[in-house]
């Protein structure tokens, strides 16, 4: 099957800016009734608008690409929904739902496509900031439809080093158990002056926006566990097209799938043709991971 990835990217950009984005912007901060997706001891929430937007996206994609498969956050069934080699749209209708509920302007729609389980198209749109990131395999990255020169951005920055970096971290919805403790201990290790000694942490509350900001050099890395494929799929493609990479959150996990559930995303670096600077950053980061993130 021959697939025009750039045409799909353009279609997803139009869908996100003209149909999805206006709903997110209009309804942000209006949802006072919502469900807890993962139980009473978690804070992962879903609103009626999430479900409405996912249906809108699915109906639009099914009409345009009837032979493609679809995985959406709100229609996902644990143990049943699987990513196959078939062309598959992987969608988060509203990434950053907690931000959306609280009217914090970092909720977005995240639309990705995988082929052979590889993210090959990514579109992320934040309607509050009217900020659109997009990319497709081999076609580079665009911001608001204009080519983004990631190489020039990397050359304007200091070399990628752990103790000179700003790292995105999110505690996640589950606030108990080994994974929560591993996160807290790792945060401490990253901050400590005799360990990682990073410049600081940032939490945007949206994995998609976070990875997009790494691609454009506004953040250096993002470490997290508990995410799903729809949280990272679109950003994965955008980041890779900008010279960045995604590996596992746990030490030694160099090769992972989009559904790995734990991730370390790292920006590219100038003068790193052999990838050694990026590799050293990842290894230095992994030294600060205290424990192991494990998700079912």
């Amino acid at each position: 099957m021959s697939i025009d990835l750039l045409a799909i990217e353009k279609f997803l950009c139009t869908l996100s800016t003209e149909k999805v984005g206006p709903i997110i912007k209009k309804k942000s901060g209006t949802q006072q009734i919502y469900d807890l997706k993962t139980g009473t001891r978690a804070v992962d929430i879903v609103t009626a608008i999430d479900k409405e937007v996912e249906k809108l996206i699915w109906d639009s994609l099914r009409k345009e690409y009837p032979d493609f498969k679809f995985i959406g956050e709100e229609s996902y069934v644990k143990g049943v929904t699987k990513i196959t080699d078939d062309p598959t749209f992987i969608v988060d209708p509203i990434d950053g739902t907690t931000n959306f509920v609280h009217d914090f302007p970092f909720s977005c729609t995240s639309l990705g496509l995988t082929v052979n389980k590889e993210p090959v198209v990514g579109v992320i749109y934040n309607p509050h900031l009217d900020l659109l990131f997009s990319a497709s395999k081999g076609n580079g990255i665009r911001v608001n439809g204009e080519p983004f020169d990631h190489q020039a951005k990397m050359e304007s920055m200091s070399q990628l080093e752990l103790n000179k970096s700003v790292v995105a971290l999110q505690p996640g919805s589950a606030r108990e158990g080994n994974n929560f403790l591993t996160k807290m201990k790792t945060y401490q290790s990253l901050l400590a002056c005799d360990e990682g000694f990073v410049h600081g942490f940032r939490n945007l509350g949206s994995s998609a926006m976070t990875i997009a900001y790494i691609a454009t050099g506004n953040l250096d890395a993002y470490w997290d566990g508990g995410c799903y494929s729809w949280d990272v799929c679109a950003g994965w493609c955008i980041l890779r097209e900008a010279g960045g990479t995604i590996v596992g959150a746990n030490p030694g996990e160099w090769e992972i799938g989009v559904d790995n559930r734990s991730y370390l995303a790292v920006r590219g670096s100038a003068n790193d043709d052999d990838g050694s600077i990026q590799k050293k950053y990842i290894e230095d980061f992994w030294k600060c991971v205290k424990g192991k993130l494990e998700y079912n």
Side-chain angles (χ1 to χ4, degrees):
M1 179 189 295
S2 177
I3 301 176
D4 188 338
L5 298 180
L6 187 58
I8 294 174
E9 178 191 338
K10 292 177 179 178
F11 178 81
L12 294 182
C13 286
T14 300
L15 175 60
S16 63
T17 56
E18 296 185 3
K19 292 186 177 181
V20 179
I23 297 174
I24 296 175
K25 186 173 182 179
K26 180 179 180 180
K27 295 296 184 178
S28 179
T30 67
Q31 304 302 293
Q32 304 305 319
I33 299 175
Y34 47 81
D35 299 321
L36 293 174
K37 284 191 281 191
T38 51
T40 58
R41 296 181 66 82
V43 292
D44 202 9
I45 60 181
V46 60
T47 72
I49 304 301
D50 291 84
K51 298 174 182 178
E52 175 187 328
V53 172
E54 181 167 306
K55 184 179 185 304
L56 168 65
I57 295 170
W58 175 218
D59 289 346
S60 299
L61 293 177
R62 184 166 46 189
K63 181 178 180 181
E64 191 73 15
Y65 302 100
D67 297 328
F68 287 19
K69 293 186 176 180
F70 179 90
I71 294 175
E73 178 177 14
E74 308 313 328
S75 55
Y76 168 81
V77 179
K78 184 175 181 180
V80 176
T81 304
K82 302 290 185 182
I83 301 173
T84 70
D85 288 337
D86 296 327
T88 304
F89 288 110
I90 301 180
V91 167
D92 194 340
I94 304 177
D95 189 51
T97 307
T98 301
N99 291 344
F100 174 74
V101 166
H102 291 276
D103 202 22
F104 183 71
F106 273 85
S107 55
C108 63
T109 191
S110 180
L111 312 178
L113 174 72
T114 61
V115 176
N116 296 320
K117 300 185 181 74
E118 176 191 2
V120 293
V121 178
V123 171
I124 296 168
Y125 180 56
N126 180 337
H128 312 285
L129 306 179
D130 192 22
L131 186 56
L132 176 70
F133 302 90
S134 69
S136 50
K137 185 177 180 180
N139 295 314
I141 171 177
R142 278 151 289 285
V143 178
N144 287 342
E146 297 297 325
F148 178 79
D149 189 345
H150 70 275
Q151 193 62 42
K153 175 64 175 180
M154 295 305 109
E155 290 174 357
S156 73
M157 303 173 69
S158 61
Q159 182 173 297
L160 182 64
E161 295 181 58
L162 186 61
N163 64 3
K164 294 181 179 178
S165 62
V166 174
V167 179
L169 301 168
Q170 296 175 186
S173 60
R175 306 292 171 79
E176 61 182 339
N178 182 70
N179 287 330
F180 181 64
L181 292 176
T182 295
K183 285 187 175 185
M184 295 302 106
K185 291 176 181 178
T186 299
Y187 296 175
Q188 181 176 344
S189 177
L190 286 167
L191 281 173
C193 63
D194 55 349
E195 294 187 74
F197 205 24
V198 299
H199 277 180
F201 293 164
R202 300 293 181 266
N203 178 9
L204 301 185
S206 162
S207 297
M209 285 296 298
T210 296
I211 298 174
Y213 273 33
I214 295 172
T216 53
N218 303 111
L219 292 166
D220 297 295
Y222 169 46
W223 181 83
D224 200 6
C227 313
Y228 285 87
S229 58
W230 50 81
D231 294 307
V232 302
C233 181
W236 191 308
C237 176
I238 294 168
L239 177 61
R240 184 183 55 204
E241 287 297 305
T245 190
I246 296 184
V247 296
N250 297 311
E253 295 180 344
W254 289 103
E255 299 290 336
I256 63 168
V258 70
D259 56 353
N260 192 64
R261 298 294 315 279
S262 63
Y263 312 87
L264 170 59
V266 179
R267 71 167 173 87
S269 180
N271 305 312
D272 192 26
D273 293 339
D274 63 356
S276 59
I277 295 174
Q278 200 173 66
K279 181 175 183 289
K280 183 179 187 306
Y281 182 94
I282 292 168
E283 291 173 337
D284 288 344
F285 196 109
W286 277 339
K287 292 175 184 176
C288 296
V289 176
K290 305 301 180 185
K292 185 176 183 179
L293 295 178
E294 296 181 291
Y295 297 89
N296 295 325

